[in-house]
Amino acid sequence: MAEAEAKKTESQSRPALEVAPGPHVHHGALTTRRMMLDVIIALAPVLLVSVAVFRLYALKQIVLCVACCVAAEAVFDLMRHRRPKIDNLSAVVTGLILALSLPGTAPWYVAVVGSAAGIGLGKVVFGGLGHNIFNPAMVGRAFVMICFASAMGATAYQDETSAVHAVTQATPLTQLEQTGETTELWRLFVGNTNGSLGETSALACLLGGLYLLIRRSAAWQIPAGVLLATGALAVVQNAMNPGADWTAAHHLLGGALLFGAFYIATDPVSSPLTPMGRFIFGLGIGALVMLLRVFGGYPEGVMFAVLLMNSVTPLINRWTIPRPVGGPVERKT
Amino acid sequence: MTMAPEEIPGKGTFERGVHPAGRKSYAADTPIEVLPTPDKVEVPLLQHTGKPAESVVKPRQEVALGELVGKASGFISASVHATVDGTTQAVSVATLPNARHVQTIPIKSGEQPLAGDALKQDHFGGDWPSSGLEQHDVQRIRDAAADAGIVGLGGAAFPTHVKLSPGEAKIDTLLVNGCECEPYLTSDYRLMLEFPAPVVTGALLAARACGADRIVVAIEDNKPRAADAVRRAAEGTGIEVVEVETRYPMGGERQLTVAVLDREVPTGGLPMHVGVVVLNVSTAAAVARAVLRGKPLTHRVVSVTGRGLKRPANVLAPVGASYASLIEHCGGLTDDAARVVAGGPMMGFAVGDTEAPLTKGIGGVTVLTRDDVRTAEETQCVRCGRCVDVCPLHLVPTKMALAARNKDWEQARRYYLTACCECGCCAYVCPAAIPLVQLMRAGKAEMPPE
């Protein structure tokens, strides 16, 4: 009797063992949330410069876009009877990138509609995070650009009556297109020019971009491809137009190129999977940006270049299946 | 620091892979001890790749340690032997940690003439000549390995006599694998450190059997003491000892062949197709014992380790001993023990029933605590490509795993699902905690032949 009792307590005191397939350990430190947090940290210098240059214009746009994106994510999740997954921070990232790609002068409804369209049409209709084909922030921006052309066009960036100095000027690329006047390189580098909120400072984009690459939360092949293609085509363009003041360096530092290369094009969901695919994707964006800048109707082309390359990402994935170590498996046809 | 000597063609490393925390310290400094003979062992008839062995004993038959109880049934099969002195019972069935149901021959232990330290000496002690081995006929070495029921002790448990009989293939190099790249495990390490002589002798014999002129022992550079021990034991034999980078899964034969010899084993092929035979260090020691002393493979060194054990140790245990007996010998489980893994934490199988028997291919029992195994909830793939960045075979795990989950076999084939070596690097890094390798393992089993 006592023996049976002892046996019983023994079996109860034994810890419950669980069974699960291996691997039984995980890297742990790396989560989707952490990757999104990295993007937010990397955006810090850009956010700081935009607030320093555009003051309340920037603050208003950033707060509005982030709040609307998070709210849109929550509402759409609830409509699909799912637990809102705003804790993965992806809506915050979309909101920040959308805000930083808008002109500070754009009225409040641009931010609201852009956020709703970015999250709704850009992400939720495809099935949510991980299923979207296009970069949600760029979908939102393209949507408001078509809906509110006058609020988003080149001239809308400028408000001569504004108390904020940067806003009283034309953007560097508009100035170039309309008057042929060139902005000094150091101003493009530091960022005290007019433009979309996040694009003006090359320095801030490079700093944040460097952080993303070191943390490996963005693939280096994408910005490398973008800068290489844009730089190479810009050199060719300069060679064909000797004497032009807008040099290859201006092309690289000006406009949304660096912001796009480091923060927009590197969105993992809408970019290819393999190192080679990512490089091709980057090259494509860089080449399209130059084509749109030189031949397009708009002064800038980063948004369209990213969206166009997003649409061919599945094809790039299929073309760049890596050769396995040991060679491909023989297939019966 | 990787010390790839000039002489080896490989770079001493391979591309990609991961660096999981080593956690070798639990058992690395405990000398090999002998498991007290359990009251009963259950010897599985199938504990190797290939066909099961056929029982050659009747119930209630007296058997002696090392006596044949199951005979290999074909070329790719392996014999099994009594691992204790005792009396057989009726054939039974056990479920191994890898979920295979196998027939077993239970043996109730009787008087043990050989136990304790004498057993350890019988296994690894004494004199192991490293010269004059030419007297052993090539075919006799192969037959001795087959008769001894030797299989790959690194985990895959592929019958060793098959590797030693390359047939038409011309073998030039024998790679002796002392990497032990799985975290926690230290059984090969202890063997190399304490008894390098049988490893060297076994390597020389195996090279003779497969016709290799060159012998390279590869050891990860986190085990310099083991490398020194083997180097000293191998002096004057022509065996090269190289230290390769500590990088998981270096011990995989495809990775090791690239790291040491810069040769890629063809997908779907074997190392022998590029002139290489890869043998684990413990397997080499078993070959030496079989050829020189005529002793079958009845015991193996197992590291019973991890934070979930009260007293981690390296144990020389009879095949067929229960996992429970190993755990009990090592002081039992701690209160926060959560998972008992047969093998290491990367590729091992969780043990559901600790009464299951130990098999030849299991080099360790890793007991993980609740903290060790804590995993996040699975979320959507964001196509970050981390799995691509770590796959040592340069595959695209996320595409293959999701194709396997959706049973999209066309897509799975396009991404070479069958090439996957199931090392688990992809699932180890996945930020979305997707069970990538688990899905691929299931997919490989489920995918209809083309």
Side-chain angles (χ1 to χ4, degrees):
Chain A
M1 185 65 193
E3 206 175 293
E5 197 72 6
K7 209 160 195 177
K8 199 175 163 197
T9 39
E10 190 196 44
S11 73
Q12 277 170 347
S13 67
R14 210 192 294 161
L17 293 180
E18 58 181 33
V19 181
H24 305 280
V25 287
H26 189 270
H27 186 281
L30 205 68
T31 60
T32 308
R33 188 188 147 86
R34 174 71 223 197
M35 287 168 64
M36 296 294 172
L37 193 63
D38 274 341
V39 179
I40 295 172
I41 294 171
L43 281 168
V46 182
L47 290 166
L48 283 176
V49 171
S50 76
V51 172
V53 174
F54 297 101
R55 308 297 164 109
L56 279 178
Y57 285 108
L59 210 57
K60 174 199 76 177
Q61 223 62 306
I62 292 164
V63 171
L64 211 52
C65 284
V66 171
C68 289
C69 279
V70 172
E73 175 101 354
V75 168
F76 286 127
D77 276 341
L78 289 173
M79 281 165 70
R80 296 163 72 216
H81 305 291
R82 305 215 172 169
R83 185 172 59 81
K85 286 197 186 135
I86 48 175
D87 58 337
N88 65 22
L89 299 179
S90 80
V92 176
V93 170
T94 303
L96 287 174
I97 290 183
L98 176 63
L100 292 172
S101 69
L102 292 177
T105 49
W108 64 270
Y109 52 82
V110 169
V112 174
V113 173
S115 301
I119 297 289
L121 293 177
K123 195 159 79 172
V124 175
V125 290
F126 292 101
L129 180 66
H131 298 294
N132 48 306
I133 296 172
F134 298 102
N135 183 316
M138 289 302 100
V139 170
R141 191 179 190 279
F143 191 83
V144 291
M145 194 151 174
I146 294 161
C147 291
F148 309 108
S150 61
M152 293 288 295
T155 50
Y157 279 81
Q158 202 176 356
D159 177 3
E160 267 133 27
T161 63
S162 174
V164 175
H165 178 65
V167 180
T168 58
Q169 313 157 309
T171 71
L173 281 172
T174 309
Q175 202 175 22
L176 174 76
E177 185 160 290
Q178 289 172 350
T179 66
E181 231 176 288
T182 304
T183 311
E184 298 97 321
L185 269 182
W186 69 268
R187 290 187 60 208
L188 296 178
F189 188 69
V190 176
N192 56 344
T193 64
N194 200 355
S196 298
L197 295 174
E199 70 180 29
T200 61
S201 170
L203 177 65
C205 291
L206 286 170
L207 277 178
L210 199 64
Y211 173 80
L212 275 185
L213 298 190
I214 290 172
R215 286 279 311 162
R216 294 180 58 216
S217 281
W220 65 268
Q221 293 92 348
I222 295 175
V226 174
L227 299 184
L228 195 69
T230 306
L233 288 179
V235 167
V236 171
Q237 195 233 359
N238 280 176
M240 285 161 71
N241 304 288
D245 293 333
W246 194 269
T247 62
H250 287 87
H251 270 300
L252 289 175
L253 299 183
L257 190 81
L258 289 174
F259 185 68
F262 286 110
Y263 299 106
I264 304 176
T266 51
D267 167 36
V269 179
S270 53
S271 61
L273 270 168
T274 62
M276 177 52 88
R278 287 164 172 171
F279 189 61
I280 295 172
F281 177 81
L283 286 179
I285 289 177
L288 283 171
V289 166
M290 277 307 289
L291 279 178
L292 291 167
R293 278 184 182 177
V294 176
F295 300 112
Y298 293 105
E300 178 57 300
V302 170
M303 176 187 79
F304 288 118
V306 169
L307 288 172
L308 275 168
M309 289 310 290
N310 284 163
S311 68
V312 294
T313 291
L315 274 181
I316 296 177
N317 274 336
R318 192 184 264 228
W319 291 332
T320 55
I321 298 175
R323 173 191 173 277
V325 174
V329 184
E330 296 282 328
R331 294 199 60 182
K332 300 182 191 97
T333 42
Chain B
M1 253 308 283
T2 304
M3 307 219 311
E6 291 300 314
E7 309 90 66
I8 62 162
K11 294 193 183 77
T13 189
F14 63 94
E15 284 177 22
R16 310 193 189 182
V18 294
H19 291 100
R23 306 206 195 281
K24 304 270 189 187
S25 57
Y26 292 108
D29 297 325
T30 349
I32 297 169
E33 49 196 78
V34 179
L35 184 75
T37 310
D39 298 339
K40 183 184 158 186
V41 295
E42 268 194 274
V43 182
L45 287 168
L46 177 64
Q47 34 183 323
H48 46 264
T49 313
K51 284 187 167 171
E54 282 160 9
S55 169
V56 294
V57 289
K58 293 188 208 58
R60 287 187 299 285
Q61 183 180 328
E62 295 281 319
V63 287
L65 170 66
E67 192 176 322
L68 186 74
V69 295
K71 197 175 175 335
S73 62
F75 185 54
I76 304 192
S77 179
S79 297
V80 294
H81 302 80
T83 59
V84 294
D85 290 86
T87 318
T88 61
Q89 298 177 332
V91 170
S92 170
V93 172
T95 305
L96 299 182
N98 63 9
R100 283 179 100 153
H101 301 287
V102 296
Q103 288 199 320
T104 63
I105 297 175
I107 304 171
K108 209 165 164 15
S109 309
E111 280 288 303
Q112 303 298 319
L114 195 59
D117 209 46
L119 185 73
K120 181 170 161 183
Q121 284 307 313
D122 178 73
H123 260 80
F124 306 119
D127 189 34
W128 298 98
S130 57
S131 57
L133 299 172
E134 302 78 40
Q135 58 169 307
H136 298 282
D137 177 59
V138 168
Q139 192 55 45
R140 215 189 68 71
I141 299 172
R142 293 174 186 157
D143 293 344
D147 293 343
I150 299 175
V151 300
L153 300 182
F158 189 79
T160 300
H161 65 272
V162 182
K163 284 191 188 177
L164 298 184
S165 318
E168 297 291 294
K170 174 80 193 83
I171 303 298
D172 57 65
T173 307
L174 174 75
L175 260 182
V176 184
N177 188 348
C179 291
E180 201 163 50
C181 62
E182 274 274 3
Y184 292 90
L185 305 194
T186 51
S187 58
D188 287 346
Y189 170 70
R190 287 312 307 185
L191 180 72
M192 290 187 282
L193 194 62
E194 293 180 50
F195 303 105
V199 175
V200 167
T201 305
L204 292 165
L205 288 166
R208 200 172 143 62
C210 63
D213 303 324
R214 184 177 192 185
I215 304 172
V216 183
V217 183
I219 300 168
E220 279 190 336
D221 59 9
N222 62 351
K223 303 181 240 316
R225 287 177 64 208
D228 284 345
V230 177
R231 207 172 275 131
R232 269 196 304 276
E235 236 163 74
T237 60
I239 293 179
E240 299 159 68
V241 179
V242 299
E243 286 178 56
V244 289
E245 195 194 322
T246 304
R247 175 187 288 261
Y248 180 84
M250 183 59 87
E253 53 186 21
R254 288 169 184 277
Q255 284 72 42
L256 194 61
T257 317
V258 167
V260 177
L261 300 171
D262 193 24
R263 294 185 205 170
E264 287 184 10
V265 177
T267 306
L270 294 168
M272 68 165 68
H273 297 136
V274 287
V276 185
V277 166
V278 184
L279 221 55
N280 172 274
V281 285
S282 299
T283 316
V287 169
R289 197 163 172 266
V291 175
L292 298 183
R293 301 183 181 175
K295 294 289 178 71
L297 178 64
T298 54
H299 290 64
R300 69 154 303 151
V301 183
V302 190
S303 22
V304 189
T305 176
R307 201 145 50 128
L309 273 169
K310 295 210 175 106
R311 194 184 65 83
N314 300 291
V315 185
L316 182 66
V319 169
S322 69
Y323 287 96
S325 68
L326 288 165
I327 292 167
E328 194 190 333
H329 176 70
C330 294
L333 301 177
T334 60
D335 291 339
D336 58 347
R339 220 179 272 185
V340 175
V341 179
M346 294 297 287
M347 286 188 79
F349 293 93
V351 178
D353 173 12
T354 53
E355 292 306 317
L358 176 75
T359 50
K360 293 173 183 174
I362 302 296
V365 180
T366 312
V367 185
L368 300 169
T369 62
R370 203 141 294 287
D371 276 346
D372 295 328
V373 298
R374 193 166 41 198
T375 46
E377 183 196 353
E378 181 185 341
T379 56
Q380 287 298 332
C381 173
V382 293
R383 289 178 241 163
C384 65
R386 298 271 174 152
C387 53
V388 181
D389 296 341
V390 299
C391 178
L393 292 176
H394 300 191
L395 302 169
V396 187
T398 175
K399 289 279 185 188
M400 300 150 69
L402 299 182
R405 176 177 270 169
N406 299 331
K407 306 200 194 309
D408 180 352
W409 305 125
E410 174 56 34
Q411 166 107 328
R413 284 207 172 83
R414 192 182 304 132
Y415 283 93
Y416 315 116
L417 177 61
T418 53
C420 169
C421 65
E422 302 176 23
C423 65
C425 290
C426 49
Y428 174 74
V429 295
C430 180
I434 301 171
L436 293 164
V437 70
Q438 297 89 329
L439 289 168
M440 289 191 278
R441 201 181 289 137
K444 280 167 73 176
E446 232 180 305
M447 186 160 70
E450 205 169 5

mmCIF file of all heavy atoms in Angstrom, chain B residues 304-322:
data_model
loop_
_atom_site.group_PDB
_atom_site.id
_atom_site.type_symbol
_atom_site.label_atom_id
_atom_site.label_comp_id
_atom_site.label_asym_id
_atom_site.label_seq_id
_atom_site.Cartn_x
_atom_site.Cartn_y
_atom_site.Cartn_z
ATOM 1 N N VAL B 304 24.797 12.215 -22.133
ATOM 2 C CA VAL B 304 23.488 12.477 -21.532
ATOM 3 C C VAL B 304 23.655 13.836 -20.885
ATOM 4 O O VAL B 304 24.355 13.963 -19.885
ATOM 5 C CB VAL B 304 23.102 11.391 -20.530
ATOM 6 C CG1 VAL B 304 21.662 11.561 -20.076
ATOM 7 C CG2 VAL B 304 23.303 10.014 -21.152
ATOM 8 N N THR B 305 23.070 14.855 -21.512
ATOM 9 C CA THR B 305 23.508 16.206 -21.162
ATOM 10 C C THR B 305 22.368 17.211 -21.257
ATOM 11 O O THR B 305 21.265 16.885 -21.680
ATOM 12 C CB THR B 305 24.689 16.603 -22.085
ATOM 13 O OG1 THR B 305 25.072 17.938 -21.817
ATOM 14 C CG2 THR B 305 24.304 16.504 -23.545
ATOM 15 N N GLY B 306 22.636 18.413 -20.815
ATOM 16 C CA GLY B 306 21.648 19.479 -20.873
ATOM 17 C C GLY B 306 21.296 19.991 -19.494
ATOM 18 O O GLY B 306 21.558 19.338 -18.486
ATOM 19 N N ARG B 307 20.671 21.163 -19.468
ATOM 20 C CA ARG B 307 20.342 21.800 -18.198
ATOM 21 C C ARG B 307 19.235 21.055 -17.462
ATOM 22 O O ARG B 307 19.031 21.253 -16.279
ATOM 23 C CB ARG B 307 19.928 23.255 -18.457
ATOM 24 C CG ARG B 307 20.035 24.148 -17.247
ATOM 25 C CD ARG B 307 20.452 25.539 -17.664
ATOM 26 N NE ARG B 307 19.602 25.999 -18.760
ATOM 27 C CZ ARG B 307 18.951 27.163 -18.745
ATOM 28 N NH1 ARG B 307 19.063 27.943 -17.716
ATOM 29 N NH2 ARG B 307 18.221 27.530 -19.773
ATOM 30 N N GLY B 308 18.494 20.218 -18.185
ATOM 31 C CA GLY B 308 17.377 19.519 -17.566
ATOM 32 C C GLY B 308 17.789 18.267 -16.803
ATOM 33 O O GLY B 308 16.935 17.513 -16.340
ATOM 34 N N LEU B 309 19.117 18.015 -16.698
ATOM 35 C CA LEU B 309 19.589 16.826 -15.977
ATOM 36 C C LEU B 309 20.347 17.247 -14.733
ATOM 37 O O LEU B 309 21.041 18.257 -14.738
ATOM 38 C CB LEU B 309 20.545 16.040 -16.869
ATOM 39 C CG LEU B 309 19.913 15.038 -17.805
ATOM 40 C CD1 LEU B 309 20.964 14.567 -18.784
ATOM 41 C CD2 LEU B 309 19.350 13.851 -17.056
ATOM 42 N N LYS B 310 20.238 16.429 -13.696
ATOM 43 C CA LYS B 310 20.917 16.799 -12.455
ATOM 44 C C LYS B 310 22.427 16.590 -12.569
ATOM 45 O O LYS B 310 23.207 17.351 -12.037
ATOM 46 C CB LYS B 310 20.353 15.973 -11.295
ATOM 47 C CG LYS B 310 18.871 16.310 -11.055
ATOM 48 C CD LYS B 310 18.467 16.137 -9.615
ATOM 49 C CE LYS B 310 17.032 16.590 -9.390
ATOM 50 N NZ LYS B 310 16.084 15.494 -9.205
ATOM 51 N N ARG B 311 22.845 15.535 -13.312
ATOM 52 C CA ARG B 311 24.282 15.247 -13.370
ATOM 53 C C ARG B 311 24.643 14.809 -14.795
ATOM 54 O O ARG B 311 24.709 13.614 -15.077
ATOM 55 C CB ARG B 311 24.617 14.124 -12.371
ATOM 56 C CG ARG B 311 26.094 13.950 -12.079
ATOM 57 C CD ARG B 311 26.333 12.773 -11.164
ATOM 58 N NE ARG B 311 25.965 11.494 -11.781
ATOM 59 C CZ ARG B 311 26.757 10.812 -12.601
ATOM 60 N NH1 ARG B 311 27.946 11.269 -12.917
ATOM 61 N NH2 ARG B 311 26.355 9.662 -13.129
ATOM 62 N N PRO B 312 24.866 15.750 -15.704
ATOM 63 C CA PRO B 312 25.199 15.381 -17.087
ATOM 64 C C PRO B 312 26.481 14.551 -17.130
ATOM 65 O O PRO B 312 27.389 14.771 -16.319
ATOM 66 C CB PRO B 312 25.400 16.726 -17.784
ATOM 67 C CG PRO B 312 24.701 17.724 -16.924
ATOM 68 C CD PRO B 312 24.803 17.204 -15.524
ATOM 69 N N ALA B 313 26.536 13.590 -18.052
ATOM 70 C CA ALA B 313 27.708 12.713 -18.122
ATOM 71 C C ALA B 313 27.815 12.104 -19.506
ATOM 72 O O ALA B 313 26.879 12.156 -20.300
ATOM 73 C CB ALA B 313 27.594 11.602 -17.083
ATOM 74 N N ASN B 314 28.995 11.534 -19.779
ATOM 75 C CA ASN B 314 29.174 10.742 -20.994
ATOM 76 C C ASN B 314 29.205 9.292 -20.585
ATOM 77 O O ASN B 314 30.018 8.898 -19.746
ATOM 78 C CB ASN B 314 30.469 11.141 -21.689
ATOM 79 C CG ASN B 314 30.443 12.603 -22.078
ATOM 80 O OD1 ASN B 314 29.702 13.006 -22.962
ATOM 81 N ND2 ASN B 314 31.227 13.406 -21.378
ATOM 82 N N VAL B 315 28.321 8.498 -21.167
ATOM 83 C CA VAL B 315 28.082 7.160 -20.653
ATOM 84 C C VAL B 315 28.307 6.125 -21.748
ATOM 85 O O VAL B 315 27.803 6.276 -22.858
ATOM 86 C CB VAL B 315 26.628 7.045 -20.141
ATOM 87 C CG1 VAL B 315 26.405 5.696 -19.491
ATOM 88 C CG2 VAL B 315 26.307 8.171 -19.175
ATOM 89 N N LEU B 316 29.068 5.072 -21.422
ATOM 90 C CA LEU B 316 29.170 3.926 -22.325
ATOM 91 C C LEU B 316 27.987 3.026 -21.995
ATOM 92 O O LEU B 316 27.913 2.454 -20.912
ATOM 93 C CB LEU B 316 30.501 3.199 -22.106
ATOM 94 C CG LEU B 316 30.742 2.003 -23.018
ATOM 95 C CD1 LEU B 316 30.898 2.429 -24.473
ATOM 96 C CD2 LEU B 316 31.977 1.222 -22.575
ATOM 97 N N ALA B 317 27.041 2.954 -22.933
ATOM 98 C CA ALA B 317 25.781 2.273 -22.626
ATOM 99 C C ALA B 317 25.508 1.173 -23.633
ATOM 100 O O ALA B 317 25.879 1.281 -24.799
ATOM 101 C CB ALA B 317 24.642 3.284 -22.641
ATOM 102 N N PRO B 318 24.855 0.085 -23.187
ATOM 103 C CA PRO B 318 24.485 -0.958 -24.137
ATOM 104 C C PRO B 318 23.346 -0.489 -25.033
ATOM 105 O O PRO B 318 22.424 0.186 -24.573
ATOM 106 C CB PRO B 318 24.031 -2.116 -23.241
ATOM 107 C CG PRO B 318 23.618 -1.478 -21.968
ATOM 108 C CD PRO B 318 24.455 -0.242 -21.813
ATOM 109 N N VAL B 319 23.438 -0.821 -26.313
ATOM 110 C CA VAL B 319 22.334 -0.554 -27.234
ATOM 111 C C VAL B 319 21.098 -1.274 -26.703
ATOM 112 O O VAL B 319 21.203 -2.417 -26.238
ATOM 113 C CB VAL B 319 22.710 -1.057 -28.641
ATOM 114 C CG1 VAL B 319 21.503 -1.058 -29.560
ATOM 115 C CG2 VAL B 319 23.831 -0.204 -29.225
ATOM 116 N N GLY B 320 19.971 -0.642 -26.719
ATOM 117 C CA GLY B 320 18.758 -1.273 -26.213
ATOM 118 C C GLY B 320 18.409 -0.870 -24.797
ATOM 119 O O GLY B 320 17.321 -1.156 -24.312
ATOM 120 N N ALA B 321 19.351 -0.181 -24.117
ATOM 121 C CA ALA B 321 19.025 0.338 -22.785
ATOM 122 C C ALA B 321 17.963 1.420 -22.953
ATOM 123 O O ALA B 321 17.929 2.101 -23.962
ATOM 124 C CB ALA B 321 20.277 0.925 -22.136
ATOM 125 N N SER B 322 17.096 1.579 -21.971
ATOM 126 C CA SER B 322 16.038 2.574 -22.125
ATOM 127 C C SER B 322 16.594 3.970 -21.847
ATOM 128 O O SER B 322 17.578 4.128 -21.120
ATOM 129 C CB SER B 322 14.904 2.285 -21.157
ATOM 130 O OG SER B 322 15.329 2.518 -19.836
#
